[in-house]
Amino acid sequence: MPARTGKEFIDRLNSSEREVYIHGEKVTRNLADHPAFRGLVRSYAELYDMQHDDELRATMTYPSPTTGEPVGRSFLQPRTHDELRSRRDMMKTWADHSMGMLGRTGDYLNSSLMAMAAAADWFGQVDPQFARNIVSYYEHVRENDLLLTHTLINPQANRAKATHEQADPFLAAGIVKETDNGIVVRGARMLATLGGIADEIMVFPSTVLRADPKDEPYSYAFAVPCDIPGLRFLCRESYDYGRSHFDHPLGSRFDEIDAVAIFDDVEVPYERCFMIRHPELLTRGRLYSETGALVHMTHQVVVKDLAKTEFMLGLMCKIADAIQIDGFQHVQEKIAQVIIALETLKGLLRAGEADAEVNQWGIMTPAWDPLNVCRNWYPRIYPEFVRSVWQLAASGLFGLPTEKDVFGEAAEDVERYLQAANIGGKERVRLFRLAWDAAVSAFAGRQEAYEFFFFGDPVRMAGALMYSYDRRPYMDRIDAFLHRDDEGS
Ligand SMILES: Cc1cc2nc3c(=O)[nH]c(=O)nc-3n(C[C@H](O)[C@H](O)[C@H](O)COP(=O)(O)OP(=O)(O)OC[C@H]3O[C@@H](n4cnc5c(N)ncnc54)[C@H](O)[C@@H]3O)c2cc1C
């Protein structure tokens, strides 16, 4: 099946039988129609439909190398700068649709998978079968346009101890045994955003995995369908409260549920395993950096950040214009801060693409340093945008009736007393409800935490940035300066 439509996405989800726990309910079928997922699933369906829009088809798809049928462009393995940029255009088109509020759009993990498949020999260094497995999995996902989630984190129980030292050896998902057909996995993994509704889950090395033989049971990289027997998802509460798009413009559309993935002796067939054991290869994120997956995922993330920053800029300018506060200096400063962030992101993205080079696996790969700077910086700057929105909108975020009052008996009061300088009450409430959902609601809080953590702990990412950055020339320059007078003396 080539690039799928929204209906095909929904039909597949509704016909799959899985085990998802939410709000005290066990949901096994028709997830697309469940109130906790319905709004989000519709938004994802819209993304798939964009692949079939006459005006967007060329941006969103490319001919499959195996069938010639159109498939999603985020699967394209770029060999040239133009192809790399074409991936960015596709990713931006999807990101704009949710204003950067969706983090697990297919392009995020497709980018990772396409890089891993190109680097098949990395997996093959242990067993050539692993190389074949990652390539055929990539082709399977591409040709069926499957939606992936992933889990890289072990349960939090005791972060002062290694995985194998936890009180329960199968708290974190580990390999219980091997059978003739594959591995049996028992335990939990965090935190699968979209876990309940994705087609497949990639279960890849944890960031805390140690290169210690005792961590061998936790050393694996595999992928399974979300409806595989024994796998269940324990979801957080939904922040889509079933309210209208008017009341909750973001939460009613884009709340990507997060879930704990629990493996109850799941038998993972060997053909879905890409690496087993070998903690020395899977530690410290080696898989992601050495295959090029990390750079390509970051490329997608920066594009999403761009869309989100443009949204925040537009929103803040609309608020300032509505209540005529843009003449105040601190308001100008706050808006300028977002403009500076936006232009900096654009510059770094462009630098990453302009300095892209073909990596050892033959893939045109963005320069790492500019993108790495973005991934370290955005978690720190995004919360400032959120704070700026509520500083600009102030009580306007709370003197905010809901749709039923806006269009009900109180409509006249709304129109009169909630008017802004240049729009009537109804339109002002519509705008400020969007600001509320971007800066105050449970959805907004989750977005802020998501931006801070989803790509890893910023504290440890900063350490990784420092260690990976070539600092030697600057240290040498200091030495040279300290000894500038030595030659003459
Ligand atoms: C909304 C949301 C969605 C997410 N979605 C996904 C997803 O889809 N897939 C996925 O795999 N992951 C996902 N994550 C998980 C994300 O990758 C982690 O939150 C992140 O890597 C931090 O790990 P942790 O949450 O286990 O925090 P912990 O590692 O438990 O850290 C807790 C605190 O202790 C500190 N700390 C712990 N250990 C150390 C250390 N060794 N050195 C210094 N400080 C330390 C941290 O700085 C932090 O302040 C998501 C997270 C969020 C918040």
Side-chain angles (χ1 to χ4, degrees):
M1 181 173 63
R4 62 183 167 178
T5 62
K7 182 175 181 312
E8 285 164 340
F9 164 65
I10 289 173
D11 288 348
R12 183 185 171 104
L13 178 59
N14 270 345
S15 62
S16 134
E17 188 157 346
R18 50 186 69 194
E19 205 177 335
V20 176
Y21 292 84
I22 185 159
H23 303 160
E25 190 186 346
K26 178 176 171 179
V27 189
T28 54
R29 288 189 82 86
N30 296 320
L31 269 88
D33 300 327
H34 189 279
F37 309 116
R38 195 165 40 216
L40 176 67
V41 168
R42 294 298 171 281
S43 295
Y44 266 82
E46 286 163 15
L47 297 178
Y48 287 111
D49 280 339
M50 288 163 78
Q51 303 188 123
H52 298 271
D53 181 302
D54 285 345
E55 282 180 19
L56 295 176
R57 191 177 291 121
T59 305
M60 307 309 291
T61 62
Y62 75 109
S64 158
T66 48
T67 68
E69 297 274 339
V71 290
R73 187 171 286 277
S74 57
F75 293 106
L76 174 70
Q77 295 182 313
R79 309 279 168 186
T80 64
H81 281 92
D82 276 350
E83 286 183 344
L84 186 66
R85 283 190 291 267
S86 78
R87 287 178 49 84
R88 180 242 293 151
D89 289 342
M90 177 268 143
M91 298 188 297
K92 183 68 171 31
T93 308
W94 262 5
D96 282 342
H97 193 66
S98 69
M99 286 154 302
M101 296 291 162
L102 293 177
R104 281 296 168 284
T105 50
D107 49 344
Y108 176 59
L109 286 168
N110 296 348
S111 299
S112 163
L113 188 56
M114 77 80 191
M116 289 182 193
D121 287 346
W122 189 92
F123 299 88
Q125 63 186 304
V126 166
D127 181 341
Q129 189 57 46
F130 289 143
R132 289 192 285 276
N133 291 352
I134 192 79
V135 172
S136 62
Y137 184 63
Y138 158 67
E139 290 175 351
H140 171 69
V141 174
R142 182 187 69 204
E143 297 304 318
N144 291 285
D145 207 4
L146 299 178
L147 180 60
L148 309 179
T149 180
H150 70 161
T151 52
L152 313 180
I153 303 294
N154 291 334
Q156 240 174 356
N158 185 344
R159 285 288 189 251
K161 291 193 178 228
T163 313
H164 68 265
E165 292 166 348
Q166 301 290 326
D168 175 350
F170 290 106
L171 174 79
I175 301 172
V176 187
K177 61 177 180 184
E178 290 193 40
T179 65
D180 291 345
N181 303 323
I183 55 172
V184 176
V185 176
R186 182 185 302 166
R189 269 304 187 91
M190 315 278 281
L191 175 69
T193 295
L194 218 57
I197 65 160
D199 297 303
E200 295 260 335
I201 181 165
M202 294 172 82
V203 189
F204 269 56
S206 156
T207 45
V208 296
L209 185 78
R210 294 192 186 169
D212 178 335
K214 291 194 187 120
D215 262 5
E216 254 191 24
Y218 315 102
S219 307
Y220 46 70
F222 65 84
V224 287
C226 289
D227 55 7
I228 193 169
L231 175 58
R232 49 183 186 265
F233 293 97
L234 190 55
C235 300
R236 66 158 163 82
E237 72 174 291
S238 169
Y239 305 140
D240 175 358
Y241 299 109
R243 303 281 288 278
S244 66
H245 289 340
F246 185 94
D247 282 348
H248 293 181
L250 300 175
S252 64
R253 291 177 167 103
F254 305 131
D255 183 34
E256 287 179 311
I257 211 82
D258 306 294
V260 179
I262 299 167
F263 296 81
D264 194 352
D265 286 2
V266 172
E267 184 162 4
V268 182
Y270 278 125
E271 62 267 24
R272 288 305 197 87
C273 295
F274 315 121
M275 186 71 79
I276 307 173
R277 316 240 183 236
H278 295 282
E280 76 287 357
L281 286 176
L282 297 178
T283 186
R284 289 186 291 114
R286 283 186 60 184
L287 187 162
Y288 312 105
S289 52
E290 292 176 15
T291 59
L294 177 61
V295 190
H296 282 282
M297 287 167 90
T298 310
H299 190 213
Q300 189 274 351
V301 167
V302 175
V303 172
K304 182 267 299 164
D305 294 346
L306 202 60
K308 207 163 192 166
T309 307
E310 287 170 348
F311 166 72
M312 282 296 192
L313 176 59
L315 182 63
M316 285 165 64
C317 292
K318 286 286 289 179
I319 293 167
D321 185 50
I323 54 173
Q324 291 291 293
I325 53 172
D326 49 11
F328 303 122
Q329 279 173 330
H330 80 93
V331 173
Q332 295 160 2
E333 192 185 24
K334 302 236 158 3
I335 292 174
Q337 184 194 33
V338 190
I339 296 172
I340 291 165
L342 179 60
E343 290 302 317
T344 306
L345 282 174
K346 280 187 199 167
L348 289 166
L349 179 61
R350 187 183 288 195
E353 290 173 358
D355 294 344
E357 288 179 358
V358 173
N359 70 7
Q360 72 179 110
W361 314 108
I363 298 299
M364 181 59 74
T365 300
W368 178 230
D369 285 337
L371 299 191
N372 197 13
V373 165
C374 290
R375 109 177 156 127
N376 272 272
W377 180 54
Y378 206 70
R380 291 168 169 80
I381 195 86
Y382 184 75
E384 291 187 31
F385 300 162
V386 172
R387 181 167 282 256
S388 293
V389 169
W390 58 255
Q391 197 169 350
L392 262 58
S395 66
L397 291 172
F398 301 94
L400 209 53
T402 59
E403 185 175 21
K404 282 192 178 144
D405 290 324
V406 171
F407 294 97
E409 255 183 78
E412 250 177 63
D413 280 346
V414 168
E415 204 51 27
R416 179 170 179 194
Y417 295 113
L418 295 181
Q419 64 180 287
N422 49 23
I423 44 175
K426 248 195 315 278
E427 283 312 299
R428 176 219 161 96
V429 172
R430 192 192 298 277
L431 172 65
F432 276 62
R433 291 212 67 87
L434 180 60
W436 170 86
D437 222 2
V440 179
S441 67
F443 175 87
R446 188 260 177 200
Q447 284 286 322
E448 202 176 326
Y450 179 85
E451 288 302 344
F452 196 77
F453 273 125
F454 87 96
F455 218 18
D457 175 10
V459 173
R460 282 168 275 174
M461 287 198 307
L465 184 145
M466 189 195 85
Y467 281 120
S468 70
Y469 198 80
D470 184 7
R471 292 164 288 144
R472 194 71 251 168
Y474 311 106
M475 294 161 75
D476 290 347
R477 197 178 298 173
I478 299 299
D479 285 337
F481 180 71
L482 290 175
H483 298 284
R484 194 177 274 180
D485 299 332
D486 291 358
E487 278 171 31
S489 58

